[in-house]
Amino acid sequence: PQITQSFGGGNLSRSIYLASNTCRLCILLMELIFFPLYVELNFILNLWLGDNIPEGTLVFCKYTLLIATVSSTSGGIIQLINATEKIKWFKVQSFIWNMMPLLISYFLYKEGAPPHTIILLFILCDILCRFTQLYLLRRMYNLDIKQFSKDAFLRPLAVFLLMSLFCQGYSILAKKMNIEHIFGLLFVLFVSAILCYYIGLRNNERKKVLELIKKKVFG
């Protein structure tokens, strides 16, 4: 609501600021879910389906988590687009990018492409859709794409890269030490939360989080 209210009041800079903050926080929240589930997905599927896990389920679930994470980058941007009320070309480009994976995968499947091909295409097209949205916002409202990307994506990207390296090492260590899966899931969640807190959030946001925790815990 604040994005729409600010835009309607002619305060475009505040709308963009709120949109970039919303986008960054949406990605960080998704990363909190993504990494614990990703590293222990095989264990979770075994709890859910037992030993009869259909072939390819693990791969499909991992790519589904990835596409959900990529989709979280639209947080804030969609609200900013809707606030402009000039959504024609945004809807057109969104329709095109959503249709492309279906068309391309049809021909790739005829050539024997693996089943998860369509998910990879959706991930790629969703990334391209985000670039197109930012480009249209620049053309229509002089959005500084470089600054917006820095504010919205830089910190979550740093968290993603560091967590990817950590999870790679964790997977190797977990196999050697036979770490309990529940403990591993909670441990990865803890590390992800620490990185999101110290890298993903700004100083004033960290203070607000601490105040909220103190209020909830100590009343």
Side-chain angles (χ1 to χ4, degrees), residues 1-12:
Q2 289 189 41
I3 295 174
T4 304
Q5 184 179 10
S6 297
F7 190 91
N11 195 343
L12 178 59

Side-chain angles (χ1 to χ4, degrees), residues 136-203:
L136 288 173
L137 285 168
R138 189 187 72 175
R139 287 290 302 272
M140 297 169 68
Y141 300 101
N142 200 29
L143 173 74
D144 188 340
I145 295 178
K146 185 177 179 181
Q147 186 61 46
F148 185 93
S149 299
K150 180 181 177 182
D151 293 339
F153 305 130
L154 187 60
R155 289 173 183 264
L157 179 61
V159 172
F160 190 89
L161 293 175
L162 288 172
M163 280 303 301
S164 296
L165 290 173
F166 169 78
C167 289
Q168 194 70 24
Y170 166 81
S171 298
I172 297 171
L173 186 65
K175 289 179 182 178
K176 289 183 178 180
M177 298 184 64
N178 196 26
I179 297 174
E180 288 292 332
H181 294 291
I182 294 295
F183 171 78
L185 193 150
L186 294 174
F187 180 60
V188 174
L189 175 62
F190 173 76
V191 174
S192 181
I194 291 295
L195 288 179
C196 286
Y197 179 78
Y198 283 105
I199 297 177
L201 300 180
R202 299 190 178 101
N203 287 332

Side-chain angles (χ1 to χ4, degrees), residues 18-81:
L18 291 171
S20 64
N21 273 359
T22 302
C23 186
R24 175 169 54 85
L25 294 174
C26 283
I27 301 170
L28 291 173
L29 287 172
M30 189 62 213
E31 287 177 337
L32 279 176
I33 300 170
F34 174 83
F35 287 104
L37 291 180
Y38 191 87
V39 296
E40 292 294 350
L41 191 55
N42 194 42
F43 166 68
I44 293 169
L45 287 174
N46 270 290
L47 282 180
W48 181 25
L49 302 173
D51 296 328
N52 300 317
I53 300 175
E55 185 180 352
T57 301
L58 183 62
V59 175
F60 264 100
C61 288
K62 284 186 174 182
Y63 282 131
T64 300
L65 280 174
L66 186 58
I67 196 172
T69 305
V70 172
S71 295
S72 69
T73 60
S74 66
I77 298 176
I78 298 298
Q79 287 78 5
L80 182 59
I81 290 170

Side-chain angles (χ1 to χ4, degrees), residues 68-159:
T69 305
V70 172
S71 295
S72 69
T73 60
S74 66
I77 298 176
I78 298 298
Q79 287 78 5
L80 182 59
I81 290 170
N82 290 335
T84 68
E85 295 185 352
K86 296 179 180 179
I87 61 174
K88 174 184 174 181
W89 290 111
F90 292 103
K91 294 296 183 182
V92 169
Q93 67 87 30
S94 179
F95 173 78
I96 291 172
W97 288 124
N98 283 323
M99 287 300 296
M100 287 289 284
L102 298 175
L103 295 173
I104 296 173
S105 62
Y106 172 78
F107 294 103
L108 291 178
Y109 282 143
K110 289 183 72 174
E111 298 298 322
H116 58 266
T117 299
I118 191 168
I119 301 182
L120 294 176
L121 288 171
F122 269 115
I123 293 172
L124 175 61
C125 287
D126 200 25
I127 294 171
L128 294 173
C129 178
R130 210 68 64 247
F131 280 116
T132 309
Q133 288 170 335
L134 294 176
Y135 172 76
L136 288 173
L137 285 168
R138 189 187 72 175
R139 287 290 302 272
M140 297 169 68
Y141 300 101
N142 200 29
L143 173 74
D144 188 340
I145 295 178
K146 185 177 179 181
Q147 186 61 46
F148 185 93
S149 299
K150 180 181 177 182
D151 293 339
F153 305 130
L154 187 60
R155 289 173 183 264
L157 179 61
V159 172

